[in-house]
Amino acid sequence: MTKTFLLAGGTSGIGRATVELLADGECHLLCACRQPDLLPDLPGVEGTPFEATEPNPDLALPERLDGMVYFPGSIRLKPFHLLRDEDFLEDLQVNLLGAARLLRLALPALKRSGQSSVVFFSTVAVGQGFPFHAGIAAAKGALEGFARSLAAEFAPTIRLNCIAPSLTNTPLASPFLGSEPKREACAGRHPLQRIGEPQETAKLVRFLLSEDSGFMTGQVLGLDGGLSALRTQ
Protein backbone atom coordinates (compact mmCIF):
# COMPACT_ATOMS: atom_id res chain seq x y z
CA MET A 1 0.00 0.00 0.00
CA THR A 2 1.27 3.48 -0.90
CA LYS A 3 2.30 5.48 2.16
CA THR A 4 1.12 9.08 2.46
CA PHE A 5 3.09 11.57 4.52
CA LEU A 6 2.31 15.18 5.40
CA LEU A 7 5.42 17.36 5.53
CA ALA A 8 5.33 20.94 6.80
CA GLY A 9 8.07 22.45 4.67
CA GLY A 10 10.15 20.77 2.03
CA THR A 11 11.56 23.58 -0.09
CA SER A 12 14.97 23.96 1.58
CA GLY A 13 17.38 22.56 4.13
CA ILE A 14 16.46 19.39 6.00
CA GLY A 15 12.92 19.48 4.62
CA ARG A 16 14.08 19.45 1.02
CA ALA A 17 16.66 16.75 1.72
CA THR A 18 13.88 14.63 3.23
CA VAL A 19 11.60 15.17 0.23
CA GLU A 20 14.40 14.14 -2.11
CA LEU A 21 15.11 11.04 -0.03
CA LEU A 22 11.50 9.90 0.32
CA ALA A 23 10.36 10.70 -3.23
CA ASP A 24 11.09 7.23 -4.59
CA GLY A 25 7.81 6.81 -6.45
CA GLU A 26 6.47 4.50 -3.75
CA CYS A 27 4.94 7.10 -1.44
CA HIS A 28 2.87 10.26 -1.67
CA LEU A 29 4.34 13.39 -0.09
CA LEU A 30 1.97 16.25 0.64
CA CYS A 31 4.18 19.26 1.37
CA ALA A 32 2.46 22.12 3.18
CA CYS A 33 4.71 25.14 2.73
CA ARG A 34 4.88 28.86 1.99
CA GLN A 35 6.01 28.46 -1.62
CA PRO A 36 4.91 25.15 -3.11
CA ASP A 37 6.34 26.19 -6.48
CA LEU A 38 9.85 25.82 -5.01
CA LEU A 39 9.39 22.12 -4.23
CA PRO A 40 11.52 19.68 -6.24
CA ASP A 41 9.78 18.24 -9.27
CA LEU A 42 9.81 14.61 -8.18
CA PRO A 43 7.35 11.69 -8.41
CA GLY A 44 4.65 11.69 -5.74
CA VAL A 45 5.43 15.20 -4.45
CA GLU A 46 2.45 17.54 -4.10
CA GLY A 47 2.48 21.05 -2.63
CA THR A 48 -0.19 23.00 -0.80
CA PRO A 49 0.08 26.51 0.72
CA PHE A 50 0.68 26.66 4.47
CA GLU A 51 1.91 29.36 6.84
CA ALA A 52 3.07 28.12 10.25
CA THR A 53 2.03 31.30 12.03
CA GLU A 54 -1.50 31.42 10.56
CA PRO A 55 -3.93 31.03 13.51
CA ASN A 56 -6.55 29.10 11.51
CA PRO A 57 -4.86 27.19 8.69
CA ASP A 58 -7.13 25.41 6.23
CA LEU A 59 -5.70 22.37 4.46
CA ALA A 60 -7.35 19.78 2.24
CA LEU A 61 -5.89 16.56 3.63
CA PRO A 62 -6.28 12.98 2.44
CA GLU A 63 -8.52 10.57 4.28
CA ARG A 64 -5.51 8.69 5.68
CA LEU A 65 -2.00 9.77 6.68
CA ASP A 66 0.81 7.40 7.61
CA GLY A 67 3.01 10.10 9.06
CA MET A 68 3.66 13.79 9.58
CA VAL A 69 6.88 15.80 9.88
CA TYR A 70 7.02 19.42 11.04
CA PHE A 71 10.16 21.16 9.75
CA PRO A 72 9.57 24.93 10.32
CA GLY A 73 11.87 26.45 12.90
CA SER A 74 13.82 29.53 13.86
CA ILE A 75 17.26 30.48 15.17
CA ARG A 76 17.00 33.71 17.13
CA LEU A 77 20.14 34.29 19.18
CA LYS A 78 20.06 37.32 21.47
CA PRO A 79 21.26 38.26 24.94
CA PHE A 80 18.41 37.85 27.38
CA HIS A 81 18.22 41.58 28.15
CA LEU A 82 17.41 42.25 24.49
CA LEU A 83 14.66 39.63 24.23
CA ARG A 84 11.18 41.09 24.31
CA ASP A 85 7.87 39.33 24.82
CA GLU A 86 7.31 39.55 21.08
CA ASP A 87 10.51 37.56 20.44
CA PHE A 88 9.42 34.74 22.73
CA LEU A 89 5.95 34.72 21.20
CA GLU A 90 7.29 34.58 17.64
CA ASP A 91 9.51 31.61 18.50
CA LEU A 92 6.57 29.85 20.14
CA GLN A 93 4.35 30.59 17.14
CA VAL A 94 6.72 28.99 14.65
CA ASN A 95 8.12 26.12 16.70
CA LEU A 96 5.26 25.04 18.97
CA LEU A 97 1.90 26.47 17.96
CA GLY A 98 2.43 25.85 14.26
CA ALA A 99 3.18 22.21 15.02
CA ALA A 100 0.14 21.94 17.26
CA ARG A 101 -2.16 23.50 14.64
CA LEU A 102 -0.99 21.21 11.87
CA LEU A 103 -1.20 18.14 14.08
CA ARG A 104 -4.75 19.08 15.10
CA LEU A 105 -5.74 19.18 11.43
CA ALA A 106 -3.94 15.93 10.60
CA LEU A 107 -5.05 13.96 13.66
CA PRO A 108 -8.17 12.27 12.20
CA ALA A 109 -6.22 11.08 9.15
CA LEU A 110 -3.29 9.90 11.28
CA LYS A 111 -5.65 7.89 13.48
CA ARG A 112 -7.18 6.16 10.45
CA SER A 113 -3.77 4.77 9.53
CA GLY A 114 -3.80 2.64 12.66
CA GLN A 115 -0.03 2.93 13.03
CA SER A 116 1.29 6.36 12.08
CA SER A 117 4.36 8.35 13.07
CA VAL A 118 4.89 12.05 13.83
CA VAL A 119 8.32 13.69 13.85
CA PHE A 120 9.09 17.07 15.41
CA PHE A 121 12.37 19.02 15.56
CA SER A 122 13.89 20.27 18.80
CA THR A 123 17.49 21.44 19.33
CA VAL A 124 20.56 20.40 21.25
CA ALA A 125 20.20 23.73 23.09
CA VAL A 126 17.28 22.39 25.15
CA GLY A 127 19.44 19.81 26.94
CA GLN A 128 22.59 21.93 26.98
CA GLY A 129 22.90 25.46 28.30
CA PHE A 130 24.11 27.75 25.52
CA PRO A 131 24.32 31.53 25.90
CA PHE A 132 21.94 33.67 23.83
CA HIS A 133 19.58 30.70 23.19
CA ALA A 134 16.92 31.55 25.79
CA GLY A 135 14.13 32.20 23.27
CA ILE A 136 14.61 29.20 21.02
CA ALA A 137 15.48 26.83 23.89
CA ALA A 138 12.26 27.82 25.65
CA ALA A 139 10.15 27.21 22.53
CA LYS A 140 11.79 23.90 21.65
CA GLY A 141 11.71 22.77 25.29
CA ALA A 142 7.96 23.34 25.22
CA LEU A 143 7.78 21.31 22.01
CA GLU A 144 9.60 18.39 23.63
CA GLY A 145 7.15 18.36 26.53
CA PHE A 146 4.24 18.63 24.09
CA ALA A 147 5.54 15.67 22.07
CA ARG A 148 6.10 13.43 25.10
CA SER A 149 2.64 14.18 26.47
CA LEU A 150 0.96 13.38 23.17
CA ALA A 151 3.09 10.27 22.68
CA ALA A 152 1.52 8.96 25.88
CA GLU A 153 -1.96 10.17 24.95
CA PHE A 154 -1.97 8.73 21.42
CA ALA A 155 -0.23 5.39 22.10
CA PRO A 156 -0.45 2.81 20.64
CA THR A 157 -2.03 4.27 17.48
CA ILE A 158 0.31 7.20 16.80
CA ARG A 159 4.02 7.41 17.63
CA LEU A 160 5.64 10.82 18.30
CA ASN A 161 9.38 11.45 18.44
CA CYS A 162 11.68 14.49 18.27
CA ILE A 163 15.02 14.99 16.59
CA ALA A 164 17.34 17.39 18.44
CA PRO A 165 20.10 18.40 16.00
CA SER A 166 23.04 20.66 16.48
CA LEU A 167 24.04 23.18 13.83
CA THR A 168 23.33 21.77 10.36
CA ASN A 169 24.46 23.03 6.98
CA THR A 170 21.17 24.63 5.89
CA PRO A 171 20.03 28.09 4.72
CA LEU A 172 18.59 28.72 8.19
CA ALA A 173 22.07 28.31 9.67
CA SER A 174 23.85 30.30 6.96
CA PRO A 175 24.47 33.40 9.14
CA PHE A 176 26.68 31.24 11.37
CA LEU A 177 28.48 29.50 8.50
CA GLY A 178 29.10 32.41 6.15
CA SER A 179 32.90 32.23 6.18
CA GLU A 180 35.54 29.57 6.56
CA PRO A 181 36.64 30.80 10.02
CA LYS A 182 33.01 30.65 11.20
CA ARG A 183 32.57 27.14 9.82
CA GLU A 184 35.79 25.97 11.45
CA ALA A 185 34.80 27.48 14.80
CA CYS A 186 31.37 25.83 14.68
CA ALA A 187 32.84 22.49 13.64
CA GLY A 188 35.45 22.64 16.39
CA ARG A 189 32.82 22.77 19.13
CA HIS A 190 31.65 19.26 18.22
CA PRO A 191 33.51 16.11 19.27
CA LEU A 192 33.22 14.88 15.67
CA GLN A 193 34.84 18.15 14.51
CA ARG A 194 32.27 18.99 11.86
CA ILE A 195 28.74 20.27 11.45
CA GLY A 196 25.80 18.16 10.37
CA GLU A 197 24.52 17.71 6.84
CA PRO A 198 20.79 17.82 5.99
CA GLN A 199 20.97 14.45 4.22
CA GLU A 200 22.04 12.82 7.50
CA THR A 201 19.04 14.23 9.31
CA ALA A 202 16.74 13.21 6.44
CA LYS A 203 17.83 9.60 6.91
CA LEU A 204 16.84 9.75 10.58
CA VAL A 205 13.45 11.20 9.59
CA ARG A 206 12.97 8.32 7.17
CA PHE A 207 13.79 5.83 9.93
CA LEU A 208 11.33 7.43 12.35
CA LEU A 209 8.56 7.35 9.74
CA SER A 210 9.23 3.73 8.90
CA GLU A 211 8.18 0.49 10.55
CA ASP A 212 11.84 -0.03 11.52
CA SER A 213 11.22 2.40 14.39
CA GLY A 214 7.90 0.82 15.32
CA PHE A 215 8.92 0.21 18.95
CA MET A 216 10.03 3.82 19.51
CA THR A 217 7.88 6.68 20.80
CA GLY A 218 8.22 9.64 23.16
CA GLN A 219 11.96 9.96 22.44
CA VAL A 220 14.23 12.94 21.81
CA LEU A 221 17.07 11.78 19.57
CA GLY A 222 20.28 13.80 19.52
CA LEU A 223 21.88 14.20 16.10
CA ASP A 224 24.57 16.60 17.24
CA GLY A 225 28.07 15.29 16.57
CA GLY A 226 28.36 14.20 20.21
CA LEU A 227 27.88 17.73 21.54
CA SER A 228 25.20 16.81 24.09
CA ALA A 229 26.96 13.77 25.52
CA LEU A 230 30.72 14.04 25.15
CA ARG A 231 33.56 16.22 26.36
CA THR A 232 36.81 15.79 24.45
CA GLN A 233 38.75 18.73 25.89
Side-chain angles (χ1 to χ4, degrees):
M1 179 183 294
T2 300
K3 299 282 189 181
T4 301
F5 300 115
L6 172 63
L7 310 181
T11 58
S12 68
I14 295 170
R16 188 179 185 92
T18 301
V19 170
E20 293 172 348
L21 183 65
L22 295 179
D24 55 7
E26 297 182 4
C27 62
H28 176 215
L29 305 179
L30 178 59
C31 299
C33 53
R34 286 177 175 174
Q35 297 177 287
D37 57 306
L38 297 182
L39 288 165
D41 184 14
L42 294 170
V45 177
E46 176 188 356
T48 186
F50 173 72
E51 171 55 62
T53 58
E54 169 60 44
N56 298 296
D58 183 20
L59 292 178
L61 297 178
E63 189 74 12
R64 168 195 170 115
L65 286 170
D66 297 289
M68 171 189 142
V69 188
Y70 186 83
F71 291 107
S74 57
I75 305 179
R76 185 197 309 274
L77 304 188
K78 283 186 178 182
F80 175 69
H81 72 278
L82 294 180
L83 282 172
R84 302 294 179 243
D85 287 356
E86 292 77 11
D87 296 321
F88 284 102
L89 290 172
E90 286 177 10
D91 281 336
L92 285 168
Q93 283 281 358
V94 173
N95 295 281
L96 173 64
L97 295 178
R101 292 180 187 120
L102 189 63
L103 181 57
R104 188 183 299 121
L105 291 175
L107 188 57
L110 290 166
K111 286 181 175 178
R112 290 188 192 101
S113 173
Q115 192 56 255
S116 55
S117 173
V118 174
V119 181
F120 292 137
F121 277 85
S122 182
T123 169
V124 66
V126 172
Q128 297 289 304
F130 297 145
F132 313 127
H133 283 67
I136 187 60
K140 292 295 194 182
L143 181 68
E144 287 189 12
F146 172 73
R148 285 196 178 100
S149 177
L150 292 186
E153 183 174 338
F154 296 157
T157 307
I158 303 173
R159 298 183 296 109
L160 288 95
N161 293 287
C162 286
I163 298 173
S166 182
L167 198 62
T168 305
N169 187 20
T170 66
L172 187 64
S174 60
F176 312 102
L177 304 171
S179 67
E180 193 57 33
K182 285 184 177 181
R183 292 179 67 91
E184 290 179 359
C186 289
R189 287 196 286 270
H190 298 79
L192 292 184
Q193 295 295 294
R194 67 178 180 88
I195 60 173
E197 293 296 332
Q199 292 78 13
E200 295 171 316
T201 312
K203 291 176 182 177
L204 182 53
V205 173
R206 179 177 63 180
F207 170 72
L208 291 174
L209 290 175
S210 76
E211 296 174 359
D212 291 339
S213 62
F215 199 49
M216 180 181 294
T217 191
Q219 303 302 306
V220 178
L221 306 177
L223 193 64
D224 56 22
L227 188 60
S228 64
L230 307 177
R231 295 293 180 268
T232 57
Q233 296 179 2

